[in-house]
Structure formats: C-alpha cells, structure tokens
C-alpha cells in the first residue's frame, strides 16, 4: 500500500489559507537590580499603547533564577501583540521599556545589563468564524498527527497552552492506535 500521507492537495491548500496574526514583539531585559518582591511572575496589562504583559522570569525559569541569584538583578520579558506591519523593532522595544517603567516604577532606576528583542509574524490568527477551518490534531493519514499553537483543540486554551495540549492529544491519538 502506498502512503498518501496528509499531503492531500485539498488539505494542504486549507493549511496554506490559514491567516497569521499581526507581528508581535518580545523584549527581554537583564536588569541590574530586582523588581519588587511582591511582583507576580506574570502580569497582563491593559490601557498601555503596546505593552500586553510582563514576565519576571527568575520567578519560574531556572537560567533566569540562577542569573538573578548570582547578580542580584531581574530578568524581565515584555510582550507586545498586534504590532503594525513594518514597525521599527528598536523603537518599539524602547516604547515597551518606557511602559514597563510606568507599570513597575522601581525599574526606572534599574540599569539594563543586556537586552534582546525579537519581532515575529508567525503566530496563528483565529478570526471570528475561522475555528472550523483550523487543522485539528488528526490528519487525513491516521499515522500522522499535528501539534502546535496553530492546531484546533476543543478546549479553552491558547498559544503555548494549545501547543502543549495538542501535543498530549497527538500522542494519545497515536498511542490509541497501538
């Protein structure tokens, strides 16, 4: 028997038509002093031009925790979603840092030891009415499954949680055959 795989033309065409969300910027800062101890590991924000959330990485990530203990600083990550096409990553990064300093005023006196930023446009977009067109875990070939933040799952999860959940569902789909 030949293997047609999931590369059936109609199935692939459906995948190719799925839209991506507007660009997003992730900025990571290594600060020379800690943020306040009461700051949560993750904060969603509202009412700021581009700052959507702040993560204090040493609160839940081993490498950041090690760096923080060694230096006394904090590792902070800032996310900005739905950025304008063609935006200047450096300028937008600077805007994020300014917004961080308004949300966490103690960072205003902090020096930035190092910084990294990445602007991407590869996040899936789930527009209204688009759910049925999303690829699910199962493909046309029962031996091939999909997982990732782009995969449709029937649970209330998004992004990384969808990627992890679809991975478990994909593994279970394969294991169920054996």
């Amino acid at each position: 028997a030949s293997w047609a795989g999931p590369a059936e033309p109609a199935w692939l065409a459906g995948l190719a038509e799925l839209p991506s969300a507007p660009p997003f910027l992730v900025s990571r800062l290594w600060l020379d002093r800690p943020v306040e101890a009461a700051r949560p590991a993750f904060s969603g924000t509202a009412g700021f031009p581009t700052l959507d959330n702040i993560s204090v990485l040493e609160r839940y990530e081993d490498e950041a925790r090690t760096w923080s203990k060694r230096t006394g600083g904090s590792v902070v990550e800032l996310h900005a979603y739905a950025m304008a096409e063609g935006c200047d990553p450096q300028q937008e990064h600077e805007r994020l840092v300014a917004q961080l300093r308004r949300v966490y005023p103690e960072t205003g006196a902090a020096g930035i030891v190092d910084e990294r930023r990445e602007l991407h446009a590869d996040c899936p977009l789930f527009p209204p009415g688009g759910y049925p067109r999303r690829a699910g875990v199962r493909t046309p070939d029962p031996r091939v499954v999909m997982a990732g933040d782009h995969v449709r799952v029937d649970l209330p999860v998004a992004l990384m949680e969808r990627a992890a959940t679809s991975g478990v569902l994909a593994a279970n789909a394969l294991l169920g055959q054996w």
Side-chain angles (χ1 to χ4, degrees), residues 38-52:
R39 300 292 185 203
F42 178 85
S43 294
T45 61
F48 292 90
T50 56
L51 181 64
D52 289 303

Side-chain angles (χ1 to χ4, degrees), residues 23-166:
F24 62 94
L25 178 65
V26 176
S27 290
R28 186 173 289 189
L29 310 171
W30 285 261
L31 304 176
D32 66 358
R33 62 194 67 192
V35 299
E36 289 182 8
R39 300 292 185 203
F42 178 85
S43 294
T45 61
F48 292 90
T50 56
L51 181 64
D52 289 303
N53 59 59
I54 303 168
S55 295
V56 181
L57 296 181
E58 70 265 15
R59 307 273 163 83
Y60 62 89
E61 199 272 322
D62 288 340
E63 286 184 39
R65 184 178 299 113
T66 299
W67 185 87
S68 179
K69 284 181 180 178
R70 183 172 49 82
T71 67
S74 275
V75 183
V76 178
E77 191 169 278
L78 313 173
H79 289 205
Y81 304 118
M83 302 298 294
E85 293 285 341
C87 68
D88 180 321
Q90 178 61 35
Q91 182 180 32
E92 295 300 336
H93 167 77
E94 291 169 8
R95 287 180 70 202
L96 283 178
V97 172
Q99 293 167 80
L100 167 68
R101 290 182 169 159
R102 286 179 49 212
V103 178
Y104 290 1
E106 70 273 17
T107 63
I112 298 174
V113 176
D114 198 2
E115 60 189 17
R116 298 283 189 276
R117 70 197 133 291
E118 294 191 22
L119 180 69
H120 293 281
D122 58 0
C123 189
L125 180 65
F126 284 82
Y131 183 81
R133 293 193 325 263
R134 267 297 149 195
V137 168
R138 296 183 184 274
T139 71
D141 186 310
R143 298 170 294 178
V144 178
V145 294
M146 292 182 55
D149 62 357
H150 63 289
V151 174
R152 182 183 71 231
V153 296
D154 295 326
L155 296 166
V157 293
L159 300 175
M160 291 183 289
E161 295 81 7
R162 186 181 308 115
T165 300
S166 63

